[in-house]
Amino acid sequence: MQKADLSTRLATLTSTLSSTNENIKINKLLQEIIDLSRVVSISRLDGFRKILETLRVLCFDSEKVIRTQCLRAVRYLVTDEASMLAMLQLNLDLFVVRTLERPNKKEYKLERVQALKVVMRLLEISPMKIPRSLVQSMVLIMSKKDDDLRRVCLDRIRGLAFQNPGVVASTNGIHAMVEAILDPSCGDIAGQLTMTLLYLLDQESTRRYIRPSVHIQHILSVFTDTESPETQEKEARRVASAKALMIIMRSWTGIFILASDKVGLRSLVDILSLPASFRGSSWSKDAVFMLLLQILSVVKSEDLTTHKAKGIWKSMGPNLLHSYVVMVLLAFIQSGLVPILAEIGMEQGQEMSSVATNLLREILHLSADLLPSDPWGAQLNALPSVINCAASLDSKRVVSRVLARDMLQKMSTGQYDVDDKDPFQDDFQGPHESEVTPELSGYNTLVHGLDLEAIAMQSDSAPMARVQGRKQHHMPRIVTTSRSGQRGQLMAMHRRITTSSEEVVNRLMAESGVVGNRTREYATWDWDKCLYLLEGPLANPQYLQSVMRNTRFCKRLLSFIKPSKHAFSAMAWTLSNMRVVKVACQLFRVLCLSKETSESKIFSECVREILDELVIEATRSSNPSSGSTSRSPTASVSSATDLNANYGGTRARRLRPFSRESVRERLAREYFTLVGIVTSSRHGAELVRQCKKPGSFYSDLYNLYKDESKDYLARLILSCFSYGNHNKNQRTLLDIWVKQGSVNLRKFAVSHLRVLLRDKTQDVLSHFWQWGVRLLASQLGHSNEELGLAALSVLEEVCQDDKCLEFLIKFCKPRFANIGAAANNLQMKFLSKRSGVQYLQQIDWIEQQMQLWMAEGNQKYVEAVENALVGAFDTGMHIPKVQKDSTRDPALSAYLSTGAEVKARKPEYGYGFGGIHCSIRTEYDDYYFARLHRLPWKVSISLEYANRSQYFILSEAFVHTVPHIAQTVYRRRDSKRGSERESEPMMAETPSGLETYIAAIVIAPNGTPRPQKLVDGVTIRAQLSVGSLNPPAKQKSAFLRRFEQVCSPNDRQRLVEISCGRCFLETKHARWNFLKNIPAKKSIRKQTAIRKTSAVKGHGGKRDDLYLESVWFKIPTPNSSNPVVCLAPHFFGELAKTAEGCEILGQSGHVLNFIHTVLAPLAGRVHSVDELDEKNDAKNGSEEKTFQSEAVTAIEQRTALWSIGQIGSSETGFRLLTKQKINVIKHISKMAMKCPTLSMRGTCFYIMGLLSRTPSARRMLYDLGWRFSPNAEVGIVIPKDTTSFLSVKACEYRGSWAKHRSNTFGLDFVPIKNAPLSQTTLKADYSNCAQVILGHLSNLCNSVTIKPSLNELRRLRKDPRARPFFLSADMMFQVFRMITSYDFQLDARRCVFDELFDHVSVSQHSLKVFDKDLHATNVKEEIQNLNKSLLAARMSAEEKDPDPLISAPSKEKKTRKAESKLHRPKFCVVGFNSNSSDGDGNRSQSMEK
């Protein structure tokens, strides 16, 4: 349809709509206009203004259905800024306001919703041009707690504050948001509102619209409010205030604002000095202490000492959270916290004295490690009040002297106070404070119904001293059993028997039951006494030889262990039987201590029998018909309480000790542990060579990799060997299996190499850089990308050692073609070596990466750093989402660069984006990870069909670790061409952390991997268990529900294809891996009594068969250390570490571009440091010229700052920066001290810390007024003038509407209470009636004058001479002017609209007055003309109706009768067309009858 035809059609609809009086027809016409607007933009057609004028009249219709449909039409007509401008020229927004502020009743809900949708449409089109009237209306609604639209308006105002803070401030929206923060009903969005305030406070351009001394102090006033009565509402406001204050304190902006305010942090610190008798001070003091504890819990002084001793910061770089803690310490120290804590600590009987003492101790320790000794160290450690009190000889201060000395002693010894209770326990959550078994440092390891932490601890067969040490320092206390009393006595006895007589030892052997009459009743043996004997006196080789000669203690234990006895090997693998394993392992250890005991006949026979059985099983055929009979995968072995009954000679069937079922459910699995103990010792290795022909034992195992059904044996053998320097055969075996074994075997081997790398107790690390790095590098080019990524992840961990990195570059020359962008992190480490730069230049990698980093890598790096800082404070807050703008940077991470609180998953140890460390592994983390590899995992998989039949699938489980984003770094299949193509090298596809899985591979009866074909409607169930562990009978149903994972047919509709024929599905705790279109083989297992149908339809009508390949269960890895944020390798930072790299960087010109970006002003903001210091530089005779360039965004400037900081963190890179013509270091120093954008100041503080890691930079920074931490590797700088550093320049407040130039409304007459009669009454001729009405209306915004003025308005409305003013559209326009200019409460505005001016006579002619400018300057003149015109109209009416004595009610009745003719009849049924739908797709059949 042509434009002319559309215009004609629109004119016809407008004309018909203006002339008809039928509601149904009007409704249909409005729907036609809506349908037309969906086809074409009506705003570009002729007659658009005419249709808006018609709709403006219909907004006053008496039928709310018509008003609702009219608002829908307005929303569809306004589609761009031009149509929005046309709407505002007609002041149509005032009619939207009138509808939006109708009473909160069900009958007005639909039209209010439509009015709100109109506002939302305008906000989407142009938030900068949104009229103040609409914003004012939403602010009033969001201030009304019982309004249904409150939450929507609150969210829209919060979003508008990012884009147009001026209009929000002018409508009192900032104060409304502060009230909502303290409102308990808005607790779920209080965090978002607090972050919005921080965003406004961050930038100088937006800080002028907020009063920090008013709005922030309003939040703090809850802490200082000690006079108001204690109520439930006050308690809820306290919680909300504490939550908001924590968010404020965890941002650079909040720290600067509170520290710069004289009554900010100082008011909180002064609360601590209030006496205990002061009413209401108890909660405030507790809240302030809790705030301090939570803030300082980010970094512990013990961790600083440990990390410094281990040299962690030298290898990993500085922890950015240290800079945050330093800022907090400076702010609170400047506020006088230390003297107050000292006074509280010396108070007798004070409840918080112990907390204050420990808090002061922590502050002093952190200050000693992080703050410069001059002058902060001397000032803090002096503690003059405490020292003077402790040294006082005054007899009247004896108690104070004792308390002061006690306090000094506690702080010097570093011991916590009172009742063995650590006051930091609830906040620091250190690795050793928890006493609950399922949790470690707040991280739950009770997964899938299995307490993995308790299982890992209790199944450890290491010596008791080593296990107890881990238990005390790393693990929670295991819940004691009924034998706890006996074990306590045995521990005491263990300390005595080391020096006991031979008689005592013999008595203990007899009491153990091993040496006695009932020697064959193994279940009656006291295994605890056996263990303590072996760890006590029998640990002495000479004493052991005597016992072996004179008693049968060791002989009978070895006889019990022999596989031929089917005693030890037949016991179920349960935690209760782990004490038997510990006895066996300790026995083998002590026998291998000396040559004499290791060569004893009984021991050599036992070892030979174990090795023979292992070799027999390794060389056995994998034919499923041979060997033991298979059984149901769900069958399990019960706990062996009576060994003679369960595993004696009466049992019909005995499993082979090294069969698949035995090593999965029985203690036969621990034979591999015994083999590892023997082969790891020098005498044991010699015994193995004597038992077998030289090299024959290992040669029999070399070819084990050829039979894939024996992978379970290979995994156990790999995990039991130590690979020390004297075990060359073991390394050869590992080398063969890793390079030639199956994919699943290689995955486990790569994961086990990580275990070996982290096990610091073995001598394997001495030459790991030679043989371990070669093995890992060989797997990078494997076709299986999961295997390549796993090897890459281990290599990244290995290459933290420079020796390994050099060896990898020079001798391995790795190729990363199959891995792609995932290897960027490791390759960037190559840049730190000269050989690495040469190697990467040869493969043309540097130039390509430089282009990628300049295009998007630098910005993504900065975003990842800021997100890591935010994620370090995981306390349950959400970051508000705002729309992106090219000229502004609304990302909240800009000002939350110290980590504002967000709802985030607790970070795993390892890497974030491209290698950002979220935490540091502890000894227990590595121990727990290693223990996971030794547990006998078992996964039972079953298929359930529609006819309720069940089919069990055999599986084989093992531990598998993969990078967190491994599934996104695959080659993707081109669906059109059917070929594989490289995924684009995006920076976000680098590995970010480790995920630990229990991978269950579907196998055939002979043990070889074989996927299971699925049919339609089948449900897959998988259950994870360990060994023969079964839940208690009472908890079995709940247990099964927790660890059973289900994959339904509906779930499989969400399959994600990752490569050709491979796909996966993620559920809550598991990952399901599938294959498609496997060629049919004769060996595919048959499924009887089941109808086979196709699972998925593929391209071209073909059916894709779906096969289940494996099931992966997610296993949480505990993190027992505090979170850290250490920077990942930065491309330009690594490139600048060598002279060759600096040459490449200098030739590229990127360094100069970074400098120019730093010096450029920010777009839309005025905070140029050069402009601020122009006069100062002129006085100092500075000849440095200010660089003039185009404005840049905040993210671009932060990106340039981080790039310069990374480049200057090395000596060669800093020299490159100093060679530039512009002194960028001096400029960054100025920005860190005076930049008006507070988040940018915080970023510069980080950058100065990075630069301070080199001696050359420290000399320059010292001249610029910066001081440094005692440990240079920490990367912390402190300005000498902390007062000016923490100060924020005050801004002129521009959020006042009273001073705004658009506020032109004013009145000559405002009625005053108790004023003279001449000023409060109407003139006899009513010539000032309009002024009087408007004057009384203005009094409605005053709580003092609202009642008399409202009564006077009601009286005037009933006055026949004044009533025409309440029916006039001209008067209504003036009322709208006043309403939008003054601050009325919502109830007062509703009274004006719904009671006083509810019967205004409207028409297109009368509403022409709304075409005027709402903010015109001739308001007083218009009001005088309004008086004259209405008086003339009244006189003309009196001439026609000479009877002036008509009563007011009769006149009002006539008026209403006339109005009823104008408006639509109220009795007719009005409904929408059944084919119509509103903007949200909701069809309305009949909105009202």
Side-chain angles (χ1 to χ4, degrees), residues 887-940:
T887 59
R888 295 175 60 90
D889 179 39
L892 293 178
S893 57
Y895 66 89
L896 294 176
S897 55
T898 58
E901 302 175 358
V902 293
K903 179 75 173 178
R905 165 182 173 272
K906 186 168 183 177
E908 301 279 342
Y909 68 88
Y911 298 113
F913 168 83
I916 294 180
H917 296 265
C918 298
S919 66
I920 298 177
R921 298 190 323 274
T922 62
E923 183 182 350
Y924 174 74
D925 296 332
D926 297 340
Y927 164 75
Y928 179 80
F929 181 75
R931 288 300 306 154
L932 291 179
H933 288 71
R934 301 301 300 270
L935 296 179
W937 299 103
K938 182 175 65 175
V939 177
S940 300

Side-chain angles (χ1 to χ4, degrees), residues 297-312:
S297 65
V298 177
V299 178
K300 292 186 66 176
S301 57
E302 292 84 355
D303 291 342
L304 286 174
T305 305
T306 304
H307 297 161
K308 181 180 179 180
K310 294 182 178 180
I312 290 179

Side-chain angles (χ1 to χ4, degrees), residues 505-522 524-526 530 533 538 547-548 550-557:
V505 176
N506 292 335
R507 180 171 56 83
L508 290 175
M509 290 183 185
E511 291 177 357
S512 66
V514 179
V515 180
N517 297 326
R518 297 180 298 174
T519 55
R520 297 296 182 182
E521 297 178 4
Y522 305 127
T524 62
W525 288 3
D526 194 333
C530 294
L533 280 170
L538 300 187
V547 170
M548 293 179 66
N550 301 326
T551 67
R552 295 188 177 185
F553 181 77
C554 296
K555 180 179 180 180
R556 287 177 177 174
L557 286 177

Side-chain angles (χ1 to χ4, degrees), residues 7 10-11 14 42 44-53:
S7 301
L10 181 61
T14 305
I42 298 181
R44 301 179 181 179
L45 301 179
D46 299 336
F48 178 70
R49 182 182 177 89
K50 187 69 175 178
I51 189 63
L52 289 181
E53 293 177 351

